[in-house]
Amino acid sequence: QIIRKIQSLNKLNEQLSKDANNLASALKGDSKTQGDWGEAQLEVLLEKSGLMKDIHYSTQGGYKDQEGNIKKPDFIVSLPDNKHLIIDSKVSLTAYELFYNSENDDQKENLKNHITSIRKHFKDLSSKNYTELYGINTPDQVFMYIPIEPALFLALQEDKNIFMDAYDKRVVLVSNTTLLSTLRVVSELWQFDDQKRNVLEIAKQSGLLYDKFEFKKFEISKFCGPNLLLKIFFDKIFSIIFLILACPILIVSSILI
């Protein structure tokens, strides 16, 4: 099962990278189109990870900061226990596209511009202070998603400090591979949480049933009166019922310990 999941992640990552490279030329120079496409790619990752919109994640929700200003992170991913992850999509294809199609001195200049663009994006994202928004319970870091994986890898290769510089600004640079892994963990957490809540509800209902049977046992005991054999018979029946009702409670205990 784990191998199948890894293969599925690799296949999805390959498809996303292929789509990104095919669309790069069409998107270059148009920041609005780039941004919309990046958000669409990010939503594909969320859905393929098993997360559902408006249940496990939301988009462009309005949240107030300490000054009362409304801010809208691209995606808020919910976790169990009312915790959240913030993911913002930042697409900067213009300089990367120029680098990809240029040579020699022009290529060096475009590479420099590409790295500068990523640095500008994470500084801008850091300045928004999304982690301080009311109603959001998130770690100190925000994920900055760059959908074209080679573009991020190129920046990391050429600028050894860029990842930690972003981290110091409370921004984590991610692309398809790293974000997919994270979202899969979130999906697994939700599955475990659903199972836990189902088991707790079964245990609750079992407890209520047990209370009812205890009352019935008391009534039947009075009905039996001095008849010892009848009392023994009903005691055995209620012992079996008790074992059946106790099983869910024991299961819950084993999960929660």
Side-chain angles (χ1 to χ4, degrees), residues 21 92-93 96 114 118 146-156:
N21 286 321
S92 180
L93 296 178
Y96 176 71
H114 170 58
I118 291 179
I146 301 175
I148 298 183
E149 200 153 55
L152 177 57
F153 286 169
L154 177 65
L156 294 174

Side-chain angles (χ1 to χ4, degrees), residues 8-9 12 16 38-59 75-77 87 145 176 179-180 182-184 186-188 190-191:
S8 176
L9 289 175
L12 178 58
L16 288 170
E39 291 174 14
Q41 291 291 98
L42 178 49
E43 190 150 16
V44 168
L45 288 185
L46 290 162
E47 292 173 351
K48 293 296 184 181
S49 299
L51 302 177
M52 292 181 285
K53 187 174 183 179
D54 298 326
I55 297 177
H56 302 127
Y57 72 90
S58 59
T59 62
F75 289 86
I76 303 290
V77 179
I87 309 174
Y145 171 61
N176 296 327
L179 189 57
L180 269 172
T182 302
L183 295 177
R184 282 292 190 185
V186 173
S187 180
E188 295 288 343
W190 273 117
Q191 291 179 31

Side-chain angles (χ1 to χ4, degrees), residues 54 75 101 120 141 165 169 171 190 192 226 233 243 253:
D54 298 326
F75 289 86
N101 292 310
K120 180 180 182 300
Q141 288 76 30
D165 288 347
K169 292 284 186 181
V171 175
W190 273 117
F192 176 77
F233 172 74
L243 287 175
S253 299

Side-chain angles (χ1 to χ4, degrees), residues 201-219:
E201 181 61 26
I202 292 171
K204 177 183 175 183
Q205 295 302 324
S206 298
L208 293 174
L209 281 173
Y210 176 74
D211 290 341
K212 290 180 180 179
F213 276 111
E214 276 291 302
F215 180 72
K216 290 293 183 182
K217 182 179 179 182
F218 175 72
E219 289 186 328

Side-chain angles (χ1 to χ4, degrees), residues 115-125 144:
I115 293 173
T116 300
S117 178
I118 291 179
R119 283 185 169 276
K120 180 180 182 300
H121 277 312
F122 74 65
K123 289 176 182 177
D124 290 344
L125 181 56
M144 178 174 139

Side-chain angles (χ1 to χ4, degrees), residues 185-250:
V185 171
V186 173
S187 180
E188 295 288 343
L189 287 174
W190 273 117
Q191 291 179 31
F192 176 77
D193 186 71
D194 290 341
Q195 292 172 356
K196 184 174 72 173
R197 282 189 283 110
N198 289 338
V199 171
L200 286 171
E201 181 61 26
I202 292 171
K204 177 183 175 183
Q205 295 302 324
S206 298
L208 293 174
L209 281 173
Y210 176 74
D211 290 341
K212 290 180 180 179
F213 276 111
E214 276 291 302
F215 180 72
K216 290 293 183 182
K217 182 179 179 182
F218 175 72
E219 289 186 328
I220 290 174
S221 178
K222 290 194 299 180
F223 170 77
C224 293
N227 192 324
L228 183 60
L229 290 176
L230 196 58
K231 280 186 178 181
I232 293 173
F233 172 74
F234 279 111
D235 282 343
K236 287 184 177 180
I237 292 178
F238 278 106
S239 295
I240 294 171
I241 293 174
F242 171 76
L243 287 175
I244 294 173
L245 294 177
C247 280
I249 299 174
L250 294 173

